[in-house]
Amino acid sequence: MDTDLTSVTLQHMMHRLSPNVRRAWNHRVDEMRLEPRIIFDYELLYVEKGELTIRLAEETIVAEPGCIILFKPGKEHEFYSSRGECWMPHIHFDVLYYDDYEQVPINFKNRNDCSKEELAWLRPDILGEVFKFPDVFRIGNHAEVHKTLMQIIHAYERRDAESPLLQKSLVLRIIYLLLKGMKAKENVHLVQHQRAMEQAVTYMMEHYNETVPLESLSKIACLSVFHFSRVFKQTFDLTPHQFQIRYRIEKSKELMMFNRLSLSSIAEKVGYSNVYSFSKAFKQLEGVSPREFLRTYSRITES
């Protein structure tokens, strides 16, 4: 894989993720110390009990219960000390598939002691550079991360034929939970209005073929029009109008693929007054006209 991540977007990388768990361990010790080292992959550690003093490159942190630590490829770290019995469920994993996946060991040496061949195992830091993940997470949904982490550990320990697929899906869930936790921490008010936004967006989806005024949506959410619009955009990364257009276009694609209807009928069913307005919105979002989409889909189904 090309390790130049400067031009890779988050949306593009989310489609490429294919995690593999190298090791999963429900680690519990009375005292925790670890000499300086680097690792070639990622390690995600959840502090369930106890307290850890850890050096991450030049920074020293104290990790308490609920704290999540992401050790990144090639970043030196060491465990200075601990306090109390330490429960530290953790996993080692890659976020992309690599042909040498099974050859890469868990490393316990510092960079200077690693051979050139060993350093070639270093993975690019996708989660840090593209997803902007920090080394330490202190997020409100940490309990969900812990629950999912334990599910990965149990799947890893079972080692049945299907467990790699389950582990892969659970790592993706953890990445999703970390993203959502970061977003909620940056915008605390989003958590307060989460239920209201879900009610408003459900109403929009149920009435996608109608003109739904912002005033009506803001009343459902019990917010002012200005406040509703701002919170909606921060929650879904789209304005209410953009969300409705996107949902209408997705519904129109379903109708084109599974029904023998004219484009005029489809336009009417998804809330457009005429086929021209529908075609313009479709092309702006999809990059092709509805007729071009239909031709492409027909070629695929006929081949």
Side-chain angles (χ1 to χ4, degrees):
M1 174 193 166
D2 183 2
T3 57
D4 181 11
L5 302 176
T6 55
S7 61
V8 179
T9 65
L10 177 60
Q11 289 296 323
H12 177 67
M13 186 55 71
M14 282 196 286
H15 290 292
R16 296 182 61 184
L17 294 182
S18 180
N20 284 306
V21 176
R22 182 165 286 105
R23 180 173 181 177
W25 192 16
N26 190 11
H27 193 192
R28 298 184 176 186
V29 294
D30 294 329
E31 183 180 1
M32 181 64 193
R33 291 183 63 85
L34 185 68
E35 295 299 314
R37 68 160 182 173
I38 63 168
I39 55 176
F40 307 127
D41 54 358
Y42 289 100
E43 179 183 355
L44 185 88
L45 182 147
Y46 181 90
V47 182
E48 185 178 354
K49 184 178 179 180
E51 187 178 276
L52 300 168
T53 302
I54 302 171
R55 177 177 67 83
L56 295 161
E58 305 302 321
E59 181 183 7
T60 300
I61 63 119
V62 176
E64 62 288 330
C67 192
I68 301 164
I69 305 164
L70 180 66
F71 298 100
K72 297 171 181 173
K75 189 164 188 175
E76 188 175 273
H77 58 271
E78 66 178 304
F79 287 67
Y80 282 145
S81 62
S82 63
R83 189 172 72 176
E85 185 181 8
C86 294
W87 295 8
M88 305 166 292
H90 68 271
I91 58 173
H92 279 266
F93 64 101
D94 289 328
V95 295
L96 300 180
Y97 174 77
Y98 297 94
D99 289 334
D100 63 354
Y101 159 68
E102 294 185 347
Q103 302 171 30
V104 177
I106 307 299
N107 189 54
F108 289 94
K109 297 184 287 187
N110 62 39
R111 184 183 289 268
N112 291 336
D113 291 334
C114 292
S115 67
K116 184 177 180 181
E117 290 74 17
E118 288 173 324
L119 292 177
W121 282 326
L122 277 169
R123 307 314 198 193
D125 181 17
I126 292 165
L127 296 181
E129 295 185 31
V130 180
F131 286 73
K132 307 304 179 186
F133 279 1
D135 299 323
V136 181
F137 293 83
R138 293 181 173 90
I139 50 179
N141 61 341
H142 66 85
E144 292 182 84
V145 176
H146 175 242
K147 179 181 177 181
T148 308
L149 186 60
M150 295 307 297
Q151 290 174 322
I152 294 173
I153 293 169
H154 294 156
Y156 180 86
E157 291 173 344
R158 282 202 308 271
R159 301 291 182 97
D160 57 49
E162 294 78 23
S163 66
L165 187 60
L166 176 58
Q167 293 171 54
K168 189 184 295 286
S169 68
L170 292 171
V171 174
L172 288 173
R173 174 166 172 75
I174 283 183
I175 293 172
Y176 167 80
L177 290 171
L178 294 176
L179 280 170
K180 299 300 282 188
M182 287 170 57
K183 189 172 184 178
K185 187 174 182 179
E186 293 168 0
N187 302 279
V188 178
H189 63 287
L190 296 186
V191 178
Q192 300 171 344
H193 300 302
Q194 182 176 350
R195 182 173 175 80
M197 292 300 107
E198 289 173 356
Q199 290 174 331
V201 84
T202 297
Y203 184 87
M204 292 175 69
M205 292 166 71
E206 291 174 348
H207 299 82
Y208 68 90
N209 59 342
E210 304 172 14
T211 299
V212 182
L214 268 177
E215 290 78 5
S216 300
L217 294 172
S218 63
K219 285 180 181 178
I220 292 171
C222 298
L223 296 169
S224 69
V225 171
F226 172 78
H227 196 187
F228 170 78
S229 299
R230 185 166 64 90
V231 175
F232 191 99
K233 177 70 182 295
Q234 290 174 334
T235 302
F236 299 106
D237 295 321
L238 295 168
T239 66
H241 181 64
Q242 290 169 334
F243 183 93
Q244 186 178 53
I245 290 175
R246 187 181 68 176
Y247 196 74
R248 283 178 170 181
I249 297 306
E250 287 303 315
K251 284 295 180 181
S252 75
K253 287 159 67 176
E254 289 180 23
L255 291 170
M256 282 188 273
M257 288 188 287
F258 302 115
N259 295 272
R260 293 183 177 275
L261 297 172
S262 68
L263 289 181
S264 296
S265 297
I266 291 172
E268 184 179 351
K269 282 184 175 294
V270 298
Y272 287 92
S273 58
N274 58 70
V275 71
Y276 305 106
S277 298
F278 164 64
S279 297
K280 181 180 178 181
F282 192 101
K283 187 167 186 178
Q284 285 179 338
L285 198 62
E286 297 295 322
V288 296
S289 70
R291 293 189 188 281
E292 289 173 306
F293 176 84
L294 269 174
R295 284 197 293 270
T296 302
Y297 179 75
S298 297
R299 286 198 298 270
I300 293 172
T301 54
E302 290 170 3
S303 61

